[in-house]
Short mmCIF file of all heavy atoms in Angstrom, two decimals:
data_model
loop_
_atom_site.label_atom_id
_atom_site.label_comp_id
_atom_site.label_asym_id
_atom_site.label_seq_id
_atom_site.Cartn_x
_atom_site.Cartn_y
_atom_site.Cartn_z
N VAL A 23 163.43 71.37 84.70
CA VAL A 23 162.32 71.99 85.39
C VAL A 23 162.11 71.27 86.71
O VAL A 23 162.05 70.03 86.78
CB VAL A 23 161.01 71.92 84.58
CG1 VAL A 23 159.85 72.46 85.39
CG2 VAL A 23 161.17 72.71 83.28
N GLN A 24 162.02 72.05 87.77
CA GLN A 24 161.68 71.53 89.08
C GLN A 24 160.31 72.07 89.48
O GLN A 24 160.06 73.26 89.34
CB GLN A 24 162.72 71.97 90.13
CG GLN A 24 164.14 71.50 89.83
CD GLN A 24 164.32 70.01 90.06
OE1 GLN A 24 163.59 69.39 90.82
NE2 GLN A 24 165.31 69.44 89.37
N LEU A 25 159.47 71.18 89.95
CA LEU A 25 158.14 71.54 90.39
C LEU A 25 158.02 71.26 91.88
O LEU A 25 158.37 70.16 92.32
CB LEU A 25 157.07 70.76 89.63
CG LEU A 25 157.06 70.90 88.10
CD1 LEU A 25 155.99 69.96 87.51
CD2 LEU A 25 156.79 72.32 87.69
N VAL A 26 157.50 72.21 92.61
CA VAL A 26 157.36 72.05 94.05
C VAL A 26 155.93 72.44 94.44
O VAL A 26 155.48 73.55 94.21
CB VAL A 26 158.34 72.94 94.82
CG1 VAL A 26 158.14 72.76 96.33
CG2 VAL A 26 159.77 72.57 94.45
N GLU A 27 155.22 71.46 95.05
CA GLU A 27 153.87 71.69 95.51
C GLU A 27 153.86 72.18 96.95
O GLU A 27 154.76 71.88 97.72
CB GLU A 27 153.04 70.39 95.42
CG GLU A 27 152.97 69.76 94.05
CD GLU A 27 154.00 68.66 93.87
OE1 GLU A 27 155.01 68.66 94.60
OE2 GLU A 27 153.81 67.80 93.02
N SER A 28 152.81 72.87 97.28
CA SER A 28 152.59 73.28 98.66
C SER A 28 151.09 73.46 98.88
O SER A 28 150.32 73.55 97.93
CB SER A 28 153.34 74.58 98.99
OG SER A 28 152.85 75.65 98.21
N GLY A 29 150.70 73.54 100.14
CA GLY A 29 149.32 73.83 100.49
C GLY A 29 148.51 72.67 101.00
O GLY A 29 147.36 72.86 101.40
N GLY A 30 149.06 71.48 100.97
CA GLY A 30 148.33 70.33 101.50
C GLY A 30 148.21 70.40 103.01
O GLY A 30 148.83 71.22 103.67
N GLY A 31 147.38 69.53 103.53
CA GLY A 31 147.18 69.47 104.95
C GLY A 31 146.09 68.54 105.35
O GLY A 31 145.53 67.82 104.52
N LEU A 32 145.79 68.54 106.63
CA LEU A 32 144.74 67.69 107.20
C LEU A 32 143.57 68.60 107.53
O LEU A 32 143.69 69.54 108.32
CB LEU A 32 145.23 66.98 108.46
CG LEU A 32 144.21 66.20 109.26
CD1 LEU A 32 143.63 65.08 108.44
CD2 LEU A 32 144.85 65.65 110.52
N VAL A 33 142.42 68.31 106.92
CA VAL A 33 141.22 69.12 107.12
C VAL A 33 140.02 68.22 107.30
O VAL A 33 140.07 67.02 107.00
CB VAL A 33 140.98 70.09 105.95
CG1 VAL A 33 142.13 71.07 105.80
CG2 VAL A 33 140.74 69.32 104.66
N GLN A 34 138.93 68.80 107.77
CA GLN A 34 137.69 68.08 107.89
C GLN A 34 136.88 68.17 106.62
O GLN A 34 137.04 69.09 105.83
CB GLN A 34 136.90 68.61 109.07
CG GLN A 34 137.52 68.34 110.45
CD GLN A 34 136.65 68.79 111.59
OE1 GLN A 34 136.03 69.84 111.53
NE2 GLN A 34 136.59 67.96 112.63
N ALA A 35 135.99 67.23 106.45
CA ALA A 35 135.12 67.24 105.29
C ALA A 35 134.36 68.56 105.20
O ALA A 35 133.90 69.11 106.21
CB ALA A 35 134.13 66.09 105.36
N GLY A 36 134.27 69.08 103.99
CA GLY A 36 133.61 70.36 103.75
C GLY A 36 134.55 71.52 103.74
O GLY A 36 134.16 72.63 103.31
N ALA A 37 135.78 71.32 104.15
CA ALA A 37 136.75 72.40 104.20
C ALA A 37 137.33 72.67 102.81
O ALA A 37 137.03 71.96 101.85
CB ALA A 37 137.87 72.06 105.18
N SER A 38 138.15 73.69 102.75
CA SER A 38 138.79 74.08 101.51
C SER A 38 140.31 74.11 101.66
O SER A 38 140.84 74.37 102.77
CB SER A 38 138.32 75.46 101.06
OG SER A 38 136.94 75.49 100.82
N LEU A 39 141.00 73.87 100.59
CA LEU A 39 142.45 73.99 100.53
C LEU A 39 142.82 74.57 99.17
O LEU A 39 142.13 74.33 98.19
CB LEU A 39 143.15 72.64 100.70
CG LEU A 39 143.25 72.03 102.10
CD1 LEU A 39 143.83 70.64 102.01
CD2 LEU A 39 144.13 72.90 102.99
N ARG A 40 143.92 75.27 99.16
CA ARG A 40 144.46 75.81 97.93
C ARG A 40 145.87 75.28 97.75
O ARG A 40 146.75 75.60 98.54
CB ARG A 40 144.48 77.34 97.94
CG ARG A 40 145.04 77.98 96.67
CD ARG A 40 145.06 79.50 96.82
NE ARG A 40 145.69 80.20 95.74
CZ ARG A 40 145.10 80.62 94.63
NH1 ARG A 40 143.78 80.40 94.46
NH2 ARG A 40 145.78 81.26 93.68
N LEU A 41 146.04 74.47 96.75
CA LEU A 41 147.35 73.92 96.42
C LEU A 41 148.07 74.81 95.44
O LEU A 41 147.44 75.36 94.52
CB LEU A 41 147.26 72.50 95.84
CG LEU A 41 146.49 71.47 96.67
CD1 LEU A 41 146.58 70.10 95.98
CD2 LEU A 41 147.05 71.39 98.09
N SER A 42 149.34 74.95 95.59
CA SER A 42 150.16 75.71 94.65
C SER A 42 151.30 74.83 94.17
O SER A 42 151.77 73.94 94.89
CB SER A 42 150.75 76.96 95.32
OG SER A 42 149.74 77.82 95.79
N CYS A 43 151.72 75.08 92.98
CA CYS A 43 152.87 74.39 92.40
C CYS A 43 153.68 75.39 91.61
O CYS A 43 153.18 75.97 90.63
CB CYS A 43 152.42 73.23 91.51
SG CYS A 43 153.76 72.43 90.59
N THR A 44 154.89 75.61 92.04
CA THR A 44 155.76 76.58 91.39
C THR A 44 156.89 75.88 90.67
O THR A 44 157.56 75.01 91.24
CB THR A 44 156.31 77.57 92.41
OG1 THR A 44 155.22 78.31 92.99
CG2 THR A 44 157.24 78.59 91.73
N ALA A 45 157.11 76.26 89.43
CA ALA A 45 158.19 75.70 88.63
C ALA A 45 159.41 76.60 88.71
O ALA A 45 159.31 77.83 88.77
CB ALA A 45 157.75 75.54 87.18
N SER A 46 160.55 75.98 88.68
CA SER A 46 161.81 76.71 88.64
C SER A 46 162.73 76.03 87.61
O SER A 46 162.50 74.92 87.20
CB SER A 46 162.49 76.75 90.01
OG SER A 46 162.79 75.46 90.47
N GLY A 47 163.75 76.74 87.22
CA GLY A 47 164.69 76.24 86.23
C GLY A 47 164.43 76.77 84.84
O GLY A 47 165.40 77.05 84.10
N ARG A 48 163.20 76.89 84.48
CA ARG A 48 162.80 77.46 83.21
C ARG A 48 161.33 77.78 83.24
O ARG A 48 160.59 77.30 84.11
CB ARG A 48 163.14 76.54 82.05
CG ARG A 48 162.45 75.19 82.11
CD ARG A 48 162.40 74.53 80.75
NE ARG A 48 161.51 75.24 79.85
CZ ARG A 48 161.29 74.94 78.58
NH1 ARG A 48 161.92 73.92 78.04
NH2 ARG A 48 160.44 75.66 77.86
N SER A 49 160.89 78.54 82.30
CA SER A 49 159.49 78.87 82.18
C SER A 49 158.68 77.65 81.70
O SER A 49 159.12 76.93 80.82
CB SER A 49 159.28 80.04 81.22
OG SER A 49 157.90 80.27 80.98
N VAL A 50 157.50 77.48 82.27
CA VAL A 50 156.60 76.45 81.81
C VAL A 50 155.35 77.07 81.20
O VAL A 50 154.31 76.43 81.09
CB VAL A 50 156.21 75.46 82.94
CG1 VAL A 50 157.41 74.65 83.36
CG2 VAL A 50 155.61 76.21 84.14
N SER A 51 155.47 78.30 80.75
CA SER A 51 154.34 78.98 80.18
C SER A 51 153.84 78.31 78.91
O SER A 51 152.65 78.46 78.56
CB SER A 51 154.69 80.45 79.87
OG SER A 51 155.75 80.55 78.94
N GLY A 52 154.68 77.55 78.23
CA GLY A 52 154.26 76.85 77.04
C GLY A 52 153.76 75.45 77.28
O GLY A 52 153.41 74.74 76.33
#
């Protein structure tokens, strides 16, 4: 299983971010 994160960044206090992590190689549904 490979996991890859995305969505990070530099923001000011009070801001919002949405991080994502997608798995590949096999299902991680379990």
Side-chain angles (χ1 to χ4, degrees):
V23 174
Q24 301 288 335
L25 302 176
V26 179
E27 303 96 338
S28 64
L32 173 62
V33 299
Q34 292 185 319
S38 299
L39 283 173
R40 180 181 174 91
L41 305 184
S42 299
C43 173
T44 298
S46 61
R48 59 159 293 178
S49 173
V50 292
S51 61

